[in-house]
């Protein structure tokens, strides 16, 4: 079975533009006005450039086209996208899982790891999972554990906030960030 590739519509350039009248913008940005498609194609060919559709409908309901080097425009667009991607900041979320019967030392160790992640600029999702008989006291024990976690972060010298809790059945979670 063949894989289906994502089919992108072909860009409307040169002969693919079907409108009888177009509003033409020259390569230097000057608005020439409404001309026939054949005239616009002739102007583009005479300057050894492409006729590119910018907008389906312009100010007067006529498509807006521009005379430009289409390959160069694609190259510039890809460069801009690569530059934007390079400067974008990716937020990492680290997850720490624990149970309501966690020991004191284990609890502190997990919170120290969470604090390290927060100081590195990452977000930390702390999840408490309840099983079996633990579900009976989950309201009380869950609130108690998150209270202890909040107290631990308040005792540190960094300012740490949290997003709204997520309580889905047997899993309670809260996301912390610095």
């Amino acid at each position: 079975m063949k894989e289906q590739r994502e089919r992108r519509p072909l860009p409307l350039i040169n002969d693919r533009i079907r409108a009888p009248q177009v509003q033409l913008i020259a390569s230097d940005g000057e608005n020439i006005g409404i001309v026939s498609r054949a005239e616009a194609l002739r102007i583009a060919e005479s300057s050894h450039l492409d006729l590119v559709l910018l907008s389906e409908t312009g100010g007067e309901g006529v498509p807006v086209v521009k005379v430009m080097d289409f390959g160069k425009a694609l190259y510039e667009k890809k460069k801009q996208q690569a530059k934007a991607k390079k400067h974008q900041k990716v937020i990492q979320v680290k997850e720490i899982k624990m149970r309501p019967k966690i020991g004191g030392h284990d609890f502190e160790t997990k919170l120290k790891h969470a604090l390290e992640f927060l100081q590195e600029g990452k977000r930390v999702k702390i999840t408490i999972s309840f099983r079996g008989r633990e579900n009976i006291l989950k309201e009380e024990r869950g609130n108690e554990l998150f209270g202890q976690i909040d107290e631990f972060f308040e005792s540190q010298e960094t300012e740490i906030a949290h997003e709204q809790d997520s309580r889905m059945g047997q899993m309670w979670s809260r996301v912390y960030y610095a």
Side-chain angles (χ1 to χ4, degrees), residues 125-143:
K125 179 180 180 181
I126 298 179
T127 303
I128 303 171
S129 59
F130 300 92
R131 290 190 191 154
R133 292 182 178 174
E134 296 168 349
N135 281 316
I136 297 169
L137 298 174
K138 75 178 170 186
E139 282 289 328
E140 180 182 316
R141 188 67 179 136
N143 290 331

Side-chain angles (χ1 to χ4, degrees), residues 18-32:
R18 292 287 171 212
Q21 299 278 322
V22 294
Q23 182 172 350
L24 182 63
I25 300 173
S27 59
D28 60 357
E30 178 188 345
N31 186 357
I32 295 176

Side-chain angles (χ1 to χ4, degrees), residues 4 71 82 91 107 109 126 136 156 162 165 168 170 176 178:
Q4 286 187 345
I91 297 173
F107 184 72
T109 303
I126 298 179
I136 297 169
Q156 304 303 313
H162 65 83
D165 295 354
M168 298 187 68
Q170 299 172 343
Y176 292 87

Side-chain angles (χ1 to χ4, degrees), residues 139-165:
E139 282 289 328
E140 180 182 316
R141 188 67 179 136
N143 290 331
E144 180 184 325
L145 280 172
F146 279 127
Q148 290 174 355
I149 292 168
D150 290 341
E151 285 177 25
F152 175 80
F153 287 139
E154 286 173 9
S155 69
Q156 304 303 313
E157 307 243 339
T158 57
E159 191 169 316
I160 296 169
H162 65 83
E163 295 175 357
Q164 190 168 356
D165 295 354

